[in-house]
Amino acid sequence: PVEREMAQVIELVRGVRNIRSSFNIPNNAVVKVYIRGNLGADLISYIQTLGKVEVVAKDAIPQTYSKDTITATISGFEIGVPLMGLIDFEKEIGRFKKEHDKLKMIIEGGEKRLQDQNFLQHATEGLLQKEKEKIEENKARVVILESYILALS
């Protein structure tokens, strides 16, 4: 159905835009995107226009990606975005490490707060839950940052 196909296009474009944003890829830069999966030519055209990308035909996709290619699975499709020539690897690694270290300190502070008896006695259940959720969100972001650092190293 058309609705399902358009939902897939939207998700794929969102995924590409998230990668662009995460790695500070300029909006005016033409990005190559490999998409593994069965997409019609008309859907590829939409993705190229909406995502400001060049979609590489599935028969031209390398069997294994180069080290500089970030991959993601979105709506059952595997996408790959080669970053060479688009970003300064050392600068991005430094930025990711800085954010990683900051989040680790925030997580540590939150965990200490949850062990503080004075805090526990005075905090509402809602505040405790919010603090736990914040810690979990930050832990998830740390895992993502670690994968980015590893991918770029």
Side-chain angles (χ1 to χ4, degrees), residues 31-81:
V31 176
K32 281 189 179 180
V33 176
Y34 303 122
I35 301 178
R36 285 201 172 116
N38 194 12
L39 274 179
D42 54 336
L43 298 181
I44 289 173
S45 174
Y46 289 133
I47 293 168
Q48 289 183 147
T49 302
L50 296 171
K52 296 180 185 172
V53 298
E54 174 190 338
V55 175
V56 177
K58 60 184 169 191
D59 55 345
I61 296 175
Q63 197 65 22
T64 56
Y65 294 120
S66 60
K67 188 176 183 310
D68 71 315
T69 302
I70 295 299
T71 61
T73 302
I74 300 166
S75 293
F77 296 93
E78 181 184 86
I79 65 170
V81 178

